[in-house]
Amino acid sequence: MREPVIDKEFEALIPKHSAEDAAALDETLKAEGGARDKLVVWNEENILIEGHYRYRFCRLHGLEMEFTYKKFKNREEVKQWIIRNQLGRRNLTPSQAAMLASQLVTTTHGGDRKSDQVRNSGLEKAAKTAGVSSELVSQALKVRREGIEEIAEAVMAGEVKVSDAASIADEPAPRQRRALKAVKSGKATTLKSAVHPGQATASAAANRLRRQSPNVREVETRGTIKRNAIKAYGVLIRALDTFGLQTKHREAMKAILADLEAAK
């Protein structure tokens, strides 16, 4: 049996396992003495197209594995199979699914930007296949076409959201790299806040103000009512004094006025 070839372009289409998932898969492979499911190879070129992690692990530990061979006409057909296979088998985040689906748009229509109608049709079809919105796939396309490779890899790895990556995809490459480094180191929560910290601060301040505004309005309303009450009682008492009028409520009114002024 010939050893299958590892193709970097094909392998890059497959989201990497998280550390937790990889550890669980390691234990399963050891317990079962190898790969239970067959690894898939492109028959005509002897290239591995499914099971890269299992292949390396089994080879390293001398565990058993079997292969099944599929026929394809060309590389584009292989890419489509890999992407659709991953969308159907893996527990992906919406961002990861969108990134994979965006490659279906490219491989199906060759990345032709001249025909918006064809592109939008392909985008909607890819979004439906991935079970995500066409807007999310559109953002993924922007990341892949305009963003740096490291940002796209971070989305595929589940480290950042595709919407966040798309928001800085048109920034200069060095700025994108600094933003990604800030997020990975914990210095920033999002790529956008790393690139535009002032906007993030202003947005947070605006949100706090919106949350507090009902209380502020309530306090201001109470204050206005109190001031108006003080004025009204003061005018009434002065009128009584001016005209020498007597009323049994006069002393009570003076007491209320004193309490209101003390509470200002």
Side-chain angles (χ1 to χ4, degrees), residues 134-148:
S134 56
E135 180 183 359
L136 213 59
V137 177
S138 181
Q139 291 172 345
L141 279 170
K142 182 177 181 180
V143 172
R144 292 186 59 243
R145 290 174 176 173
E146 300 178 28
I148 59 173

Side-chain angles (χ1 to χ4, degrees), residues 28-29 38 85 97 122 155 170 253:
T28 299
L29 291 170
K38 292 181 178 180
N85 185 58
V155 178
D170 54 359
M253 291 170 64

Side-chain angles (χ1 to χ4, degrees), residues 17-122:
H17 292 284
S18 66
E20 187 176 312
D21 288 342
L25 183 54
D26 291 351
E27 292 301 317
T28 299
L29 291 170
K30 289 178 180 177
E32 296 181 351
R36 179 181 56 191
D37 297 326
K38 292 181 178 180
L39 285 60
V40 185
V41 176
W42 179 11
N43 184 67
E44 288 79 1
E45 300 294 334
N46 193 43
I47 296 176
L48 186 68
I49 59 176
E50 164 65 14
H52 295 77
Y53 185 90
R54 288 175 294 148
Y55 173 74
R56 288 194 176 95
F57 188 87
C58 289
R59 247 186 112 214
L60 179 64
H61 296 279
L63 301 176
E64 294 183 3
M65 53 183 163
E66 295 183 359
F67 302 93
T68 185
Y69 296 84
K70 287 186 174 292
K71 294 182 179 182
F72 299 96
K73 295 178 182 178
N74 50 50
R75 291 182 66 87
E76 290 303 310
E77 195 172 283
V78 175
K79 287 181 185 179
Q80 290 189 43
W81 183 89
I82 293 173
I83 293 167
R84 294 178 188 279
N85 185 58
Q86 290 300 312
L87 287 171
R89 294 188 60 183
R90 296 284 291 274
N91 293 323
L92 304 172
T93 66
S95 290
Q96 289 173 321
M99 289 295 286
L100 283 171
S102 71
Q103 295 176 85
L104 278 179
V105 176
T106 303
T107 55
T108 301
H109 301 291
D112 183 5
R113 299 185 184 185
K114 295 180 181 179
S115 174
D116 289 339
Q117 186 175 2
V118 171
R119 179 183 177 279
N120 290 337
S121 174

